[in-house]
């Protein structure tokens, strides 16, 4: 038992260390009044990135860049970008529905946090964004309380900057959890490195860490659900089912859309239960399902039921955006089937008030968001968009190739891993995407198309890209060699352009 507890503690050591470092940096910078000081922080980021790049090249030149060191560099660089970006980016720049940082006639994310911070209780209305489940806002209010107590800060607007700890920590934890998923899938070294690079350097993760809303936290909890669904399916223990239950409970307590993952997890629960019936050990599984329900349902369903009883709010209620971003006057083919590649870089940045094509919006918002960064050059944003478009196309092609291969092998070798890659991940990927399409049919508005709502699909796709890339690098076929070269070049350019863009914002 002690060894098991020690192993579990060691597993979460990277998250604990990262959280301590993040909190220490935010508090030190706030205490010294240099938080959001871009003139100080951006040069530090540049020097750290250059040093890491030179160090990596030296290791590679000396043939000392082994697999473990490469993975460490990828993780460290991803964490550095997330934390560095948050240290210099104010909460009130490039945000989503933040609203005024006050509770007076304001109902955005900031007001929600401040309402809990000031009163210690949940909102008594569901106006504006108060309809959202409160887990993120509770955590953010707690962080404000703790920060104010430690640093003796009373200015609520300045104290509000400490809420970045929650989103940034969640973004960092998503990276660690993604790495654990890749290890659970027992991918090859090349496949893991490729997939982890996407998870580490796709710019949406930098942006998630800098937004004061529930997107980063629910993305982490969705990733957690994927991880513990795999672990429970492999090894149906009480620990794994309890961790899975907490993922669902707090995930839905953060954002209702997390309930979509019940389709994925429930399917594997049914398969495991059916096998339990055939193997006559189903009673233990029933007990686990009861434990799961007793944990997940009270946590996840409390707020939706509360708001239904208090306000008649539907369980899947979503606030309708403003009419200025309405795009329902365009047809289904225009919005969901065509891809206007001629407009990929014309203009470079998205315009939520005029855009209407979902897939076009997803490709661009994953790397530059919904904002126009007039204070930095456009070329890195253009590079990011082109590289992401190439990687999306390659990912779809890779997924098809890997799926066909797994289908052919199913009669010879069919383990839990093959089941996950053949049915689990493709099913979840399509399920998330199709629900996003349905959401955009119901709510035809520009901002509804944002990639921030379906971030876990990047991880799912990266798995297949990594698997196919490993096959390509071992192949002597010209097509696969070219495919691999384009993929590696795109990832390197995406990494470099993303680091440049997101370490230079708000400079001018």
């Amino acid at each position: 038992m002690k060894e098991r507890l020690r192993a579990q503690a060691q597993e979460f050591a990277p998250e604990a260390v990262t959280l301590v470092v993040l909190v220490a940096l935010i508090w030190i910078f706030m205490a010294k009044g240099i938080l959001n000081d871009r003139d100080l922080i951006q040069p530090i980021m540049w020097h750290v990135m250059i040093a890491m790049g030179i160090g990596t090249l030296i290791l590679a030149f000396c043939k000392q860049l082994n697999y473990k060191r490469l993975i460490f560099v990828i993780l460290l660089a991803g964490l550095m970008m997330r934390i560095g970006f948050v240290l210099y980016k104010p909460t009130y720049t490039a945000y989503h529905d933040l609203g005024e940082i006050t509770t007076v006639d304001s109902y955005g994310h900031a007001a929600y946090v401040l309402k809990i911070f000031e009163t210690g209780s949940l909102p008594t209305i569901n106006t504006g964004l108060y309809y959202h489940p409160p887990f993120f806002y509770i955590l953010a209010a707690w962080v404000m309380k703790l920060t104010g107590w430690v640093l003796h800060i009373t200015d609520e607007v300045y104290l509000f900057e400490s809420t970045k700890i929650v989103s940034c920590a969640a973004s960092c934890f998503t990276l660690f959890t993604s790495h654990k998923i890749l290890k659970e899938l027992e991918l090859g070294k090349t496949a893991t490195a490729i997939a982890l690079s996407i998870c580490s350097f796709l710019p949406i993760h930098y942006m998630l860490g800098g937004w004061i809303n529930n997107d980063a936290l629910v993305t982490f909890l969705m990733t957690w659900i994927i991880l513990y669904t795999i672990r429970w399916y492999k090894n149906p223990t009480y620990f794994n089912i309890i961790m899975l239950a907490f993922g669902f409970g707090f995930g839905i307590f953060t954002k209702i859309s997390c309930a979509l993952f019940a389709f994925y997890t429930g399917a594997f629960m049914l398969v495991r239960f059916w096998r339990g019936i055939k193997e006559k050990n189903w009673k233990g599984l029933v007990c686990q399902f009861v434990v799961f329900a007793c944990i997940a349902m009270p946590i996840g369903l409390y707020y939706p039921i509360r708001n239904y009883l208090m306000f008649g709010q539907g369980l899947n209620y979503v606030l309708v955006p403003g009419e200025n971003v309405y795009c329902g006057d365009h047809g289904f083919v225009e919005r969901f089937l065509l891809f206007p590649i001629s407009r990929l870089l014309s203009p470079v940045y998205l315009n939520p008030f005029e855009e209407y094509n979902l897939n076009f919006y997803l490709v661009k918002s994953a790397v530059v968001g919904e904002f126009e960064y007039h204070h930095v050059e456009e070329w890195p944003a253009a590079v990011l968009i082109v590289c992401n478009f190439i990687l999306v196309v390659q990912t779809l092609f890779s997924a098809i190739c890997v799926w066909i291969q797994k289908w052919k092998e199913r009669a010879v070798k069919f383990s839990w891993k093959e089941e996950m890659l053949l049915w689990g991940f493709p099913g979840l990927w399509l399920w998330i995407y199709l629900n996003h399409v349905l959401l955009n049919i119901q709510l035809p508005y520009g901002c509804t198309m944002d990639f921030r709502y379906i971030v876990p699909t990047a991880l799912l796709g990266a798995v297949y890209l990594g698997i196919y890339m490993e096959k390509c690098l071992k192949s002597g076929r010209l097509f696969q060699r070219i495919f691999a070269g384009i993929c590696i070049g795109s990832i390197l350019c995406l990494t470099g352009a993303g680091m440049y863009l997101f370490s230079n914002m708000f400079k001018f």
Side-chain angles (χ1 to χ4, degrees):
M1 178 63 72
K2 289 183 178 180
E3 292 181 0
R4 184 182 302 174
L5 292 175
R6 188 180 297 111
Q8 290 167 355
Q10 289 176 348
E11 181 188 4
F12 295 108
E15 287 90 340
V17 172
T18 301
L19 181 60
V20 169
V21 170
L22 173 63
V23 171
L25 286 172
I26 294 285
W27 282 359
I28 291 170
F29 279 47
M30 289 187 73
K32 293 186 175 296
I34 57 176
L35 187 69
N36 304 332
D37 186 344
R38 60 182 181 273
D39 294 328
L40 169 69
I41 299 169
Q42 286 180 342
I44 293 175
M45 291 181 67
W46 304 334
H47 285 90
V48 172
M49 286 188 295
I50 292 169
M52 289 182 64
I54 293 173
T56 304
L57 289 174
I58 291 173
L59 287 173
F61 182 78
C62 298
K63 298 182 179 180
Q64 297 298 312
L65 186 61
N66 57 30
Y67 171 71
K68 288 186 177 180
R69 287 173 179 167
L70 177 60
I71 294 300
F72 178 79
V73 168
I74 293 171
L75 289 171
L76 185 62
L79 294 173
M80 183 273 296
M81 280 303 302
R82 286 159 171 78
I83 295 174
F85 180 64
V86 163
L87 287 176
Y88 83 79
K89 177 196 173 295
T91 58
Y92 49 82
T93 55
Y95 56 81
H96 286 287
D97 303 318
L98 186 68
E100 297 294 326
I101 306 179
T102 177
T103 56
V104 180
D105 297 325
S106 182
Y107 306 99
H109 294 297
Y112 200 158
V113 174
L114 290 176
K115 177 70 71 174
I116 297 174
F117 172 77
E118 293 173 358
T119 66
S121 58
L122 297 176
T124 54
I125 56 176
N126 69 335
T127 306
L129 297 180
Y130 289 177
Y131 79 93
H132 275 299
F135 187 47
F136 166 81
Y137 308 98
I138 292 171
L139 291 180
W142 283 354
V143 167
M144 285 184 66
K145 288 280 188 183
L146 185 59
T147 302
W149 179 72
V150 172
L151 302 182
H152 306 291
I153 296 174
T154 56
D155 182 352
E156 283 191 1
V157 175
Y158 187 53
L159 194 57
F160 184 76
E161 292 293 321
S162 66
T163 58
K164 293 188 288 189
I165 290 172
V166 180
S167 291
C168 188
S171 183
C172 294
F173 293 171
T174 299
L175 177 56
F176 287 123
T177 308
S178 298
H179 184 216
K180 292 173 186 177
I181 290 170
L182 300 178
K183 289 196 294 185
E184 288 292 335
L185 291 172
E186 301 171 357
L187 300 185
K189 293 180 179 180
T190 300
T192 299
I194 293 293
L196 188 62
S197 295
I198 301 295
C199 298
S200 186
F201 302 123
L202 191 67
I204 186 64
H205 293 289
Y206 309 156
M207 293 183 275
L208 283 173
W211 294 332
I212 307 306
N213 61 23
N214 48 17
D215 289 330
L217 185 58
V218 78
T219 298
F220 160 60
L221 291 166
M222 287 174 173
T223 312
W224 176 278
I225 288 170
I226 295 173
L227 172 64
Y228 275 96
T229 298
I230 295 171
R231 287 183 171 177
W232 181 84
Y233 190 64
K234 286 172 60 178
N235 185 21
T237 64
Y238 274 98
F239 178 81
N240 287 336
I241 199 78
I242 289 171
M243 292 298 101
L244 187 56
F246 280 125
F248 270 104
F250 287 112
I252 298 171
F253 197 40
T254 302
K255 207 168 187 179
I256 292 296
S257 59
C258 193
L260 286 175
F261 281 65
F263 168 82
Y264 162 71
T265 302
F268 283 100
M269 284 183 169
L270 288 173
V271 171
R272 176 61 69 182
F273 183 64
W274 175 251
R275 289 178 181 168
I277 292 175
K278 292 197 295 184
E279 296 168 4
K280 298 182 179 180
N281 59 354
W282 57 272
K283 292 182 180 179
L285 293 174
V286 171
C287 293
Q288 289 193 19
F289 295 156
V290 170
V291 170
F292 175 87
C294 289
I295 295 173
M297 293 181 69
I299 299 173
L301 297 180
Y302 158 70
Y303 201 73
I305 293 174
R306 168 195 182 268
N307 278 18
Y308 176 77
L309 295 176
M310 291 180 66
F311 315 114
Q313 177 182 307
L315 296 181
N316 60 345
Y317 171 77
V318 178
L319 183 67
V320 177
E323 290 300 317
N324 56 341
V325 289
Y326 181 77
C327 60
D329 49 344
H330 294 272
F332 183 88
V333 173
E334 245 187 330
R335 294 184 61 205
F336 302 109
L337 299 182
L338 298 179
F339 190 93
I341 194 168
S342 61
R343 295 195 291 112
L344 194 64
L345 298 178
S346 180
V348 171
Y349 297 114
L350 281 170
N351 185 347
F353 303 99
E354 296 181 2
E355 191 50 62
Y356 55 85
N357 185 277
L358 174 62
N359 296 316
F360 182 82
Y361 209 96
L362 292 175
V363 168
K364 298 184 77 167
S365 61
V367 290
V368 295
E370 295 181 318
F371 315 104
E372 296 183 17
Y373 310 110
H374 297 299
H375 31 261
V376 69
E377 302 96 322
E378 280 192 351
W379 70 262
V383 171
L384 283 170
I385 292 166
V386 171
C387 290
N388 192 45
F389 175 72
I390 292 170
L391 289 170
V392 168
V393 173
Q394 288 191 309
T395 296
L396 293 172
F397 179 81
S398 299
I400 293 170
C401 292
V402 172
W403 193 90
I404 291 173
Q405 179 186 349
K406 296 297 179 185
W407 177 259
K408 290 179 179 178
E409 294 174 350
R410 73 191 189 282
V412 179
K413 178 186 177 184
F414 204 67
S415 65
W416 68 266
K417 179 180 175 181
E418 277 62 41
E419 291 176 340
M420 197 64 63
L421 294 175
L422 188 60
W423 304 115
F425 277 23
L428 180 57
W429 195 358
L430 287 171
W431 179 249
I432 295 172
Y433 176 76
L434 291 176
N435 274 276
H436 196 55
V437 170
L438 181 61
L439 175 65
N440 278 274
I441 292 173
Q442 295 172 340
L443 295 172
Y445 298 90
C447 55
T448 312
M449 297 186 285
D450 201 320
F451 185 76
R452 64 192 173 104
Y453 299 120
I454 60 168
V455 177
T457 57
L459 164 64
L460 301 173
V463 169
Y464 293 96
L465 182 64
I467 293 172
Y468 189 71
M469 271 289 296
E470 189 162 82
K471 179 182 179 180
C472 288
L473 290 173
K474 294 177 181 178
S475 171
R477 294 175 58 190
L478 179 61
F479 169 78
Q480 291 183 323
R481 290 286 184 176
I482 294 174
F483 184 96
I486 293 173
C487 180
I488 292 174
S490 297
I491 290 175
L492 290 175
C493 290
L494 181 124
T495 300
M499 285 185 164
Y500 182 86
L501 181 65
F502 286 88
S503 64
N504 280 280
M505 287 185 177
F506 322 116
K507 180 180 178 182
F508 306 111

